[in-house]
Amino acid sequence: MAVSIHHGVVRRDTLTEDLPRAEDLSNYKICEPGDIVLNRMRAFQGAIGISPQQGLVSPDYLVLRPGPGVDARYLHHLFRSAWFVGEMVSRLRGIGNTESGAVRTPRINPEDLGDITAPLPPLDEQRRIADFLDAETARIDFILEARRRQIDVLNQRQSLFERNAIAGGFSATAVDSGLPWIGKIDRQTTLVPLQRIATLQRGVDLTDEQRRPGKIPVVTTAGINGFHDRRIALGPGVVVGRYGSAGSVHWIEQDYWPHNTTLYVKNFNGNIPKYCFYVLRNIPYEMEQARSAVPGINRNDIHKRIMPLLPLDSQGEAVTQIDSYVARTDASIAAIRDGMNVLAERRQALITAAVTGQLDVTTARSSLPSGGASV
């Protein structure tokens, strides 16, 4: 079993197709239906849930079994309230702080968790609070999930638009490319190995010491992460992640240092750099085991991949089309996320007010329609 921030306690195979992390499960803990399972490292982010079935959980998780006179649902909502999260954060064991994300291996210890003094109303009141919060959070979660699906659809449509634009697939004379990730191509489009479009080069080795605040941004797999105190660097260009978030492709507008966890475009072979960026962003990257035992992208295999190549004047048109479409999509997604943030804040405020006695759930009325807001 695993604890998901969004889905609670679920079977691990519903979250990932990866094999179990450990072959020896003798040290794993047993959870029973109704037990509360808490991920010690991510509890303050909401990684807490009620187990729907018997199962095994990581030795580093906490399994809490509610005693007599305690409704597990009430306890679960209490643990996820802003008040209780604040209590946990103040007791985290780790280096750094949670706001900047700089805590290394932050954990809430069982003893520290047990020291928190929490309100415990009578059992019937706990049930009323839990019933109210179950209904209200379910309505909000329904809308949030619908909004996430909207974002997924927008991203899929953008990806399809990009793939058509970089290959001239919108042309009336477009024909099937034979490439499953492209679809149709214009008759002017040629299919060539990637190395005809751009040359990928491994980034440079930079120590943590060299990545201290300086003048030139350092681009890692996850994007800009640190700076280098040197003047000599690459100009604007494209960087592809090799490990971790492998296949993530970044368009860099300023001078930068490419980290050794990335591949950067050494030259564009006379093609428009932004066009190469959109081509690289739509490659279906494949991971393979590297010598370091960390799965990564094989640069030589990528160089041999067959890619679409538009004539130079058409490349500029494609970039203009894609830039415009991306800007509209980004604006739509930003608006949706703003609405989601408001809903998430309302959800958190409801939970906190109900479990701390600031809201009388017997007289409270939902501000949402019984069927959920329109989506």
Side-chain angles (χ1 to χ4, degrees):
M1 308 291 285
V3 183
S4 162
I5 291 175
H6 297 297
H7 305 292
V9 183
V10 294
R11 288 175 57 102
R12 188 171 182 273
D13 56 12
T14 65
L15 298 178
T16 177
E17 295 180 356
D18 294 343
L19 294 173
R21 297 174 184 170
E23 294 182 3
D24 180 11
L25 303 177
S26 59
N27 291 326
Y28 274 49
K29 297 175 180 177
I30 298 175
C31 65
E32 299 289 347
D35 286 352
I36 296 175
V37 183
L38 181 149
N39 182 333
R40 293 172 57 203
M41 289 190 291
R42 302 184 69 191
F44 69 95
Q45 297 173 321
I48 304 169
I50 300 176
S51 178
Q53 67 178 81
Q54 185 184 64
L56 295 177
V57 297
S58 166
D60 202 41
Y61 285 5
L62 291 180
V63 177
L64 308 177
R65 187 157 299 156
V70 180
D71 187 296
R73 296 174 304 142
Y74 169 80
L75 208 56
H76 174 239
H77 287 303
L78 175 70
F79 285 172
R80 294 173 69 93
S81 69
W83 170 79
F84 197 89
V85 168
E87 293 292 320
M88 284 194 292
V89 167
S90 68
R91 293 166 170 80
L92 285 179
R93 307 289 181 171
I95 303 172
N97 65 80
T98 56
E99 292 181 0
S100 66
V103 177
R104 295 204 297 270
T105 63
R107 283 178 171 82
I108 179 72
N109 290 332
E111 299 78 11
D112 295 326
L113 188 70
D115 284 342
I116 299 175
T117 301
L120 187 66
L123 184 58
D124 59 344
E125 178 66 13
Q126 293 178 41
R127 289 171 177 161
R128 279 196 295 272
I129 293 172
D131 289 342
F132 171 81
L133 290 176
D134 284 350
E136 291 301 300
T137 57
R139 289 189 182 101
I140 294 174
D141 288 345
F142 174 81
I143 300 172
L144 288 173
E145 184 57 34
R147 296 295 181 252
R148 291 187 192 101
R149 289 196 299 270
Q150 282 183 304
I151 291 174
D152 288 342
V153 169
L154 287 171
N155 283 328
Q156 289 167 10
R157 288 177 178 173
Q158 177 180 311
S159 180
L160 179 61
F161 186 93
E162 289 185 18
R163 292 198 299 270
N164 274 297
I166 62 176
F170 294 123
S171 168
T173 60
V175 296
D176 183 46
S177 68
L179 297 176
W181 62 279
I182 284 294
K184 291 189 174 183
I185 62 173
D186 184 79
R187 293 183 183 276
Q188 300 181 78
T189 306
T190 55
L191 297 176
V192 299
L194 174 63
Q195 57 193 358
R196 283 272 303 279
I197 297 178
T199 303
L200 298 179
Q201 181 70 36
R202 188 177 77 87
V204 296
D205 296 319
L206 294 174
T207 65
D208 289 340
E209 183 72 20
Q210 290 174 311
R211 288 167 58 192
R212 288 187 172 183
K215 299 173 183 175
I216 307 297
V218 173
V219 180
T220 69
T221 294
I224 292 178
N225 185 358
F227 292 85
H228 193 282
D229 194 16
R230 290 280 295 277
R231 293 183 180 276
I232 301 174
L234 296 173
V238 184
V239 175
V240 181
R242 294 176 65 206
Y243 306 114
S245 300
S248 59
V249 183
H250 310 282
W251 173 251
I252 311 300
E253 294 280 0
Q254 69 239 64
D255 292 347
Y256 70 96
W257 279 89
H259 192 255
N260 61 10
T261 58
T262 68
L263 300 170
Y264 69 94
V265 180
K266 188 174 181 180
N267 62 68
F268 296 95
N269 296 324
N271 296 291
I272 295 176
K274 196 69 177 288
Y275 173 78
C276 295
F277 162 69
Y278 283 125
V279 171
L280 286 163
R281 187 156 89 167
N282 284 281
I283 297 174
Y285 292 95
E286 296 177 1
M287 304 285 288
E288 66 177 42
Q289 205 73 20
R291 292 180 182 177
S292 62
V294 178
I297 293 174
N298 186 304
R299 178 185 57 187
N300 294 327
D301 287 346
I302 294 297
H303 271 154
K304 298 173 185 175
R305 290 286 188 91
I306 301 301
M307 306 292 157
L309 180 61
L310 286 173
L312 199 58
D313 57 345
S314 297
Q315 290 182 22
E317 294 175 8
V319 168
T320 299
Q321 287 180 327
I322 297 173
D323 281 349
S324 176
Y325 194 97
V326 168
R328 294 196 302 271
T329 300
D330 286 348
S332 297
I333 290 177
I336 293 173
R337 291 196 188 281
D338 286 343
M340 291 175 68
N341 290 336
V342 171
L343 281 172
E345 289 170 4
R346 168 171 168 73
R347 188 184 193 280
Q348 184 65 275
L350 270 176
I351 293 173
T352 302
V355 299
T356 58
Q358 301 173 49
L359 176 68
D360 184 355
V361 301
T362 60
T363 58
R365 287 187 177 182
S366 169
S367 62
L368 296 173
S370 59
S374 61
V375 294

